[in-house]
Amino acid sequence: MDISQESDADALWQDALDLLAGNGAPEAFLAMLRNCTPTSLEDGVLRVQTPMRLVLKRLSANVAEIEAVLEQAAFEPVKLEASLGGAAAAPKPHVSSMSSAEARDWKAATEAPARPQEQPRPRPAAEEDPWREDAEGVARENRRRRAENPLVEDVGAGDSKLTFDRFVVGDENRIAYDSAMQVADGVNKAYDLLFIYGKSGLGKTHLLRAIQNYIAENDPSRICVYKDASSFITDYVNASRSENRSAADELRQHYADIDVLIIDDIQQLLGKTGTINFFFDTFNTLRAAGKWIVLAADRTPAELGMGKDGFDERVTSRIGGGYPAAVQVPSYELRTHLIESFCERALEDAAREHLEGSVAPISEDSQRFMAEKAGNNIRLIEGFCQRCLIASARARAAGGELTRDQIGELALEVWPTREQHVTIEQVQKGIEKYYDVGHADLIGSSRSKNLMEPRHVAIWLCKGLCDQTLADIGKKFGGRSHATVLHSIRWVDDRRKEDRTFREKLMVVRENITQNV
């Protein structure tokens, strides 16, 4: 490939990225594309390389959209071919010379043994590769660091189902998913402090473990440690009470030597003054060294500072200075997608484990009815799917099919205290209370500025939380047309993409409504 071909490939790729950005493509998606290196442009085919398997997968899934902007930039059809290759554009090289078997057995490894007797043939000076020698030295040093750090778990490939591939993505969690993936790839320092927050059971721990599992499989030279808050507290308490006076200093050093530190449920640190101080020191040390930190909690950074036992301002200000990403309660559409995915995977898992007779498929109509009856906790939805699959197998064994009555009974076993769906009237009452507006004003024709936002938000929430058509929603808002309802939905969607404060307000309002159903 000559220089002119390289220049054409680079120019076309950059033009395509500019067009995607102009079309409103998510920043996380654009960051992944910037991770790709164009290698050639020949015979109408643009070839790019990426060192990240997950990026390659996302690239393949969006090839039609990318080829459309390539054609727009080149004024002729251009095909895209992507492959693994090249070096990650990380702030510092994270290169591993290990096999997957070595990666799984790092705890027993200390240093790569020298090969006996036979030595590699010396290469002429022109063939020497100083970068490779430096990279192999980095890998050896990281193997040593990992083997000597007792905080590191032995995470082997396939040890967990909590991976990015098995995470079901929707509008309610897409930002958190894309941000977690950026941390896992390690190529975007904008995400060196990621704070994921949301109520229990919405997928926070799945994303944290997905980061850990991705790094263990794809870049094991990075030392990644996952801790829930209770084990973090235990580490500190045991070290501080140890008869070994140097135990606390050793623990501090072990934490300082981590490349990616993940702490789940940090709200459990509230009231633990000594542990909070230790966390604060560790936090500052890692950030000063350019390391990655991922935290998760059931509330926002500001809410962690509330109350007599809340974090003090030095902690909340630093946590709040990172990149916050919310996971929200699932809408009817996401519940439907979750149920479809959970049922499909459960059937695949049963087939792989030779347990086909224990579960049976569920029709699409029944899955939609399950979504109507399901609550908001994603962990409980997965268990609900498993119950329904078992019930479906029993029904088929008896010569029948799973009925709606059976689904309803199973739903009441999982969520016994309430009906699971949200009504338009419940959304309206929640909005009226939050914004302090009257019902007549909310559904009326006034275009006053202080009424437009609550009305738009109410309609947007009805679309996400209620199993109703846009026409049905319009009738409940003073007989508004389909186009007017659609305008409100687009208004909220556009603003929440640009305004982080507004996005957090949406989450609070939504959770207030769903918790009071």
Side-chain angles (χ1 to χ4, degrees):
M1 184 177 64
D2 59 33
I3 294 177
S4 65
Q5 288 173 323
E6 268 192 324
S7 298
D8 289 346
D10 287 335
L12 179 58
W13 186 243
Q14 186 57 55
D15 287 344
L17 295 183
D18 292 342
L19 288 170
L20 284 169
N23 293 340
E27 178 56 35
F29 180 56
L30 293 173
M32 283 195 304
L33 298 186
R34 296 188 191 104
N35 179 256
C36 301
T37 303
T39 58
S40 69
L41 176 60
E42 298 173 341
D43 300 325
V45 178
L46 176 65
R47 295 177 177 84
V48 300
Q49 287 186 339
T50 173
M52 301 296 177
R53 291 173 177 83
L54 193 59
V55 173
L56 180 64
K57 183 175 181 180
R58 293 292 299 274
L59 201 67
S60 301
N62 293 275
V63 67
E65 178 184 358
I66 299 171
E67 286 181 346
V69 295
L70 286 172
E71 180 175 353
Q72 186 178 351
F75 298 97
E76 63 181 6
V78 177
K79 293 292 183 182
L80 178 68
E81 290 185 2
S83 61
L84 282 174
K92 61 177 182 178
H94 295 294
V95 181
S96 173
S97 61
M98 297 178 295
S99 67
S100 58
E102 288 175 315
R104 290 193 297 269
D105 199 28
W106 261 0
K107 283 204 169 181
T110 54
E111 188 171 322
R115 294 186 178 182
Q117 298 179 1
E118 183 178 352
Q119 299 295 324
R121 177 180 60 84
R123 294 182 299 175
E127 296 181 15
E128 290 181 358
D129 188 351
W131 199 114
R132 180 182 178 87
E133 293 176 4
D134 290 345
E136 291 174 349
V138 169
R140 285 194 298 272
E141 174 63 15
N142 282 335
R143 281 202 298 275
R144 182 195 62 77
R145 290 171 54 218
R146 186 179 177 94
E148 294 178 356
N149 195 325
L151 301 175
V152 179
E153 290 181 280
D154 187 10
V155 181
D159 280 353
S160 174
K161 294 181 180 180
L162 301 181
T163 63
F164 287 117
D165 287 342
R166 295 179 72 96
F167 189 84
V168 182
V169 183
D171 289 342
E172 295 83 350
N173 56 29
R174 186 176 300 278
I175 293 175
Y177 170 85
D178 288 339
S179 304
M181 190 172 60
Q182 290 288 317
V183 173
D185 281 342
V187 296
N188 190 340
K189 289 300 290 182
Y191 297 94
D192 64 350
L193 171 55
L194 174 61
F195 185 89
I196 299 176
Y197 62 96
K199 296 300 180 183
S200 177
L202 299 183
K204 301 187 300 296
T205 298
H206 189 142
L207 286 175
L208 301 189
R209 285 294 193 179
I211 294 172
Q212 182 190 30
N213 284 315
Y214 181 91
I215 292 174
E217 182 175 357
N218 296 283
D219 192 4
S221 62
R222 298 167 74 195
I223 297 180
C224 178
V225 170
Y226 169 92
K227 290 281 184 179
D228 59 35
S230 61
S231 61
F232 186 82
I233 293 170
T234 299
D235 285 347
Y236 170 75
V237 170
N238 289 343
S240 61
R241 293 177 178 175
S242 174
E243 295 180 359
N244 179 4
R245 294 184 177 181
S246 64
D249 291 336
E250 290 176 0
L251 179 66
R252 196 179 306 275
Q253 181 55 48
H254 290 320
Y255 269 102
D257 201 33
I258 294 170
D259 295 312
V260 183
L261 174 62
I262 302 171
I263 302 181
D264 201 356
D265 291 326
I266 65 166
Q267 73 275 357
Q268 294 181 17
L269 300 183
L270 294 172
K272 310 292 192 300
T273 304
T275 308
I276 290 174
N277 289 334
F278 175 69
F279 165 76
F280 183 73
D281 292 342
T282 301
F283 180 95
N284 287 338
T285 299
L286 291 176
R287 289 214 77 188
K291 306 297 184 65
W292 277 262
I293 301 172
V294 184
L295 307 173
D298 63 359
R299 62 202 76 174
T300 66
E303 290 170 335
L304 287 171
M306 297 178 180
K308 62 183 181 64
D309 290 329
F311 291 159
D312 58 41
E313 186 179 357
R314 61 178 185 151
V315 177
T316 56
S317 63
R318 282 166 173 77
I319 294 175
Y323 188 88
V327 288
Q328 302 175 359
V329 295
S331 63
Y332 171 76
E333 288 82 359
L334 181 54
R335 292 199 303 272
T336 303
H337 189 195
L338 285 163
I339 288 169
E340 177 186 352
S341 299
F342 288 154
C343 289
E344 180 181 346
R345 289 170 187 169
L347 291 169
E348 292 173 352
D349 291 343
R352 184 167 52 252
E353 296 166 7
H354 305 293
L355 299 172
E356 294 91 334
S358 64
V359 293
I362 300 172
S363 69
E364 290 185 9
D365 182 63
S366 292
Q367 288 183 10
R368 287 193 292 270
F369 185 68
M370 288 167 62
E372 294 176 15
K373 291 297 182 181
N376 295 320
N377 187 303
I378 294 175
R379 281 199 298 265
L380 294 182
I381 291 176
E382 186 169 13
F384 174 51
C385 290
Q386 192 68 36
R387 292 186 183 205
C388 289
L389 289 166
I390 293 172
S392 178
R394 291 174 179 170
R396 292 196 178 193
E401 293 288 336
L402 182 66
T403 66
R404 288 195 167 205
D405 287 343
Q406 290 173 310
I407 292 172
E409 291 172 1
L410 290 170
L412 286 175
E413 291 178 8
V414 181
W415 299 281
T417 58
R418 61 179 177 83
E419 282 294 322
Q420 288 77 30
H421 60 276
V422 179
T423 66
I424 293 176
E425 289 77 12
Q426 288 167 333
V427 172
Q428 290 174 338
K429 287 180 181 178
I431 291 295
E432 290 158 14
K433 180 179 179 180
Y434 184 85
Y435 284 97
D436 192 22
V437 298
H439 181 70
D441 290 330
L442 182 68
I443 68 172
S445 58
S446 172
R447 299 181 64 82
S448 171
K449 185 176 181 180
N450 66 327
L451 292 175
M452 294 303 291
E453 179 178 314
R455 187 179 297 147
H456 288 326
V457 170
I459 290 174
W460 183 84
L461 286 171
C462 286
K463 190 259 183 184
L465 295 175
C466 308
D467 184 21
Q468 299 288 339
T469 66
L470 297 187
D472 290 335
I473 294 172
K475 290 176 184 178
K476 296 287 187 175
F477 283 83
R480 282 176 163 75
S481 67
H482 180 282
T484 303
V485 171
L486 197 59
H487 167 72
S488 293
I489 294 169
R490 288 172 176 167
W491 185 91
V492 175
D493 281 335
D494 289 342
R495 185 171 175 189
R496 72 191 183 107
K497 291 177 183 177
E498 302 170 354
D499 188 338
R500 190 174 92 182
T501 302
F502 180 72
R503 189 164 62 243
E504 292 181 352
K505 182 191 296 185
L506 282 179
M507 180 180 175
V508 172
V509 177
R510 181 174 185 160
E511 290 185 350
N512 287 345
I513 292 171
T514 56
Q515 287 175 353
N516 292 321
V517 172

